[in-house]
Amino acid sequence: MRNYGGVTSSIGVSRSQPTQPGTPPLVVAHRGASGELPEHTLAAYDLALRQGADGLECDVRLTRDGKLICMHDRRIDRTSNGSGTVSAMTLDALRAHDYGSWHAEMASRQRAAAALGDPDVDNKNIERYAEPTSVLTLRELLTLVLDWDRPRTLFIETKHPVRYGALVEMKLIAELQRFGLAKRPPSATPPVVMMSFAPSAVFRIRRSAPNLPTVLLGENSRYLGYAPTTSGVPAAIGPSIEMLREHPKVVERARASGRATYVWTVDEKADVELCRDLGVRWIATNYPARTKRVFES
Ligand code: G3P
Ligand code: CA
């Protein structure tokens, strides 16, 4: 088993520890292998796992009938052939649309790159780029991760502000309880990490599921003095790569306070190397296969 930087105590409980500079970060597939297949689809997540991603990232939203689905935008217009607001639609209504065909443009770009001999293009995937596919529920994604033959971590981001407010985190906890994940003791490879840009959302999770690791995301340096902890498991910080380039010391500051760092969205080789050199624990990327390869060279 890979060393994830966890420390096991005498009673077998693992505590997160920040990563030391020079250690390759764990690679998290942002919305799945979304540089290659349509984001937030089962195919994109399955590809990321087959490419060896250490973790998967997803955004979750609540439907009108209280189901958690994986979707970044408030509306379905960009990533489907339909139109409408997720919070005003039932799961059945969302299922009436196709979430793969919008990616046809990506397929033609990839075909052109393959013709030019781009080693990062996997010909086998191109024909799948625009396959019809349904909306993905959190339940389906959790099942994929838990059924994988090696432990993998699902990073679940709740979006705010949203119509249903704190109900999103309540439903998330209920769903995790259904899988027996809400109260698990901390481990070196947690099956689930909760994230949000909203400190109140992170607080809600830490109050009701203190063992669940959390990441407080942020796009400016002001938030970094504030990453709530209510138990022995440190909350991690989640700056963007743009912010990290400007403020590389945030990683060291987080480390000094016992917190790990998660950086998004890291697609360029120089940025991947910067994260490694600084001791970032997790990097979220749209291209897990080529990002993993950086550490093999
Ligand atoms: O992984 C965190 C990152 O996904 C936050 O930005 O807009 O892609 O959800 P966004
Ligand atoms: Ca996200």
Side-chain angles (χ1 to χ4, degrees), residues 59-131:
D59 303 299
V60 291
R61 290 182 177 274
L62 260 188
T63 64
R64 198 180 89 198
D65 52 343
K67 304 288 192 302
L68 283 166
I69 60 147
C70 304
M71 177 95 46
H72 178 271
D73 300 1
R74 201 169 61 83
R75 296 181 61 85
I76 64 170
D77 302 43
R78 179 180 62 88
T79 55
S80 80
N81 60 357
S83 175
T85 305
V86 173
S87 61
M89 299 170 79
T90 62
L91 181 56
D92 278 352
L94 288 159
R95 281 189 169 136
H97 302 291
D98 165 46
Y99 297 79
S101 56
W102 66 279
H103 229 248
E105 187 196 315
M106 172 68 91
S108 39
R109 276 210 300 276
Q110 295 284 305
R111 265 189 216 99
L116 292 171
D118 184 335
D120 283 327
V121 176
D122 182 341
N123 275 305
K124 286 194 301 300
N125 294 325
I126 293 180
E127 296 319 315
R128 301 176 61 203
Y129 285 174
E131 267 177 16

Side-chain angles (χ1 to χ4, degrees), residues 16-287:
S16 292
Q17 289 291 314
T19 305
Q20 292 307 310
T23 309
L26 297 167
V27 173
V28 178
H30 185 246
R31 311 181 195 176
S34 60
E36 298 179 65
L37 291 173
E39 68 184 57
H40 288 115
T41 60
L42 200 56
Y45 287 110
D46 178 70
L47 177 61
L49 290 172
R50 285 188 286 112
Q51 290 179 341
D54 303 293
L56 307 177
E57 186 264 2
C58 69
D59 303 299
V60 291
R61 290 182 177 274
L62 260 188
T63 64
R64 198 180 89 198
D65 52 343
K67 304 288 192 302
L68 283 166
I69 60 147
C70 304
M71 177 95 46
H72 178 271
D73 300 1
R74 201 169 61 83
R75 296 181 61 85
I76 64 170
D77 302 43
R78 179 180 62 88
T79 55
S80 80
N81 60 357
S83 175
T85 305
V86 173
S87 61
M89 299 170 79
T90 62
L91 181 56
D92 278 352
L94 288 159
R95 281 189 169 136
H97 302 291
D98 165 46
Y99 297 79
S101 56
W102 66 279
H103 229 248
E105 187 196 315
M106 172 68 91
S108 39
R109 276 210 300 276
Q110 295 284 305
R111 265 189 216 99
L116 292 171
D118 184 335
D120 283 327
V121 176
D122 182 341
N123 275 305
K124 286 194 301 300
N125 294 325
I126 293 180
E127 296 319 315
R128 301 176 61 203
Y129 285 174
E131 267 177 16
T133 180
S134 185
V135 70
L136 182 65
T137 63
L138 179 62
R139 190 168 293 180
E140 288 162 341
L141 183 53
L142 276 167
T143 303
L144 176 77
V145 172
L146 295 175
D147 283 352
W148 199 247
D149 59 3
R150 273 154 294 161
R152 292 293 182 253
T153 303
L154 181 60
F155 291 76
I156 303 173
E157 179 185 345
T158 62
K159 291 292 192 195
H160 290 281
V162 284
R163 181 182 302 212
Y164 301 118
L167 187 61
V168 179
E169 281 75 36
M170 285 171 64
K171 289 276 184 184
L172 175 58
I173 291 289
E175 191 66 352
L176 295 179
Q177 265 163 357
R178 192 175 177 275
F179 284 89
L181 298 174
K183 297 205 171 129
R184 274 168 65 123
S187 65
T189 312
V192 168
V193 172
M194 180 271 176
M195 309 193 292
S196 188
F197 284 100
S200 54
V202 174
F203 256 134
R204 284 196 281 276
I205 293 292
R206 298 203 63 73
R207 249 200 330 258
S208 46
N211 281 345
L212 204 67
T214 53
V215 177
L216 180 62
L217 299 167
E219 281 176 292
N220 63 56
S221 55
R222 270 175 308 165
Y223 89 101
L224 290 172
Y226 176 69
T229 59
T230 56
S231 75
V233 187
I237 59 161
S240 66
I241 185 62
E242 290 78 17
M243 186 184 145
L244 188 78
R245 285 189 214 120
E246 247 184 83
H247 303 279
K249 290 212 167 104
V250 296
V251 182
E252 181 51 44
R253 268 180 47 199
R255 186 183 301 115
S257 65
R259 294 182 175 101
T261 305
Y262 166 105
V263 180
W264 51 277
T265 305
V266 188
D267 287 342
E268 302 304 324
K269 185 165 185 268
D271 289 331
V272 174
E273 289 169 343
L274 173 68
C275 290
R276 178 197 57 202
D277 296 346
L278 292 172
V280 169
R281 165 77 64 82
W282 300 290
I283 52 175
T285 175
N286 299 316
Y287 298 92

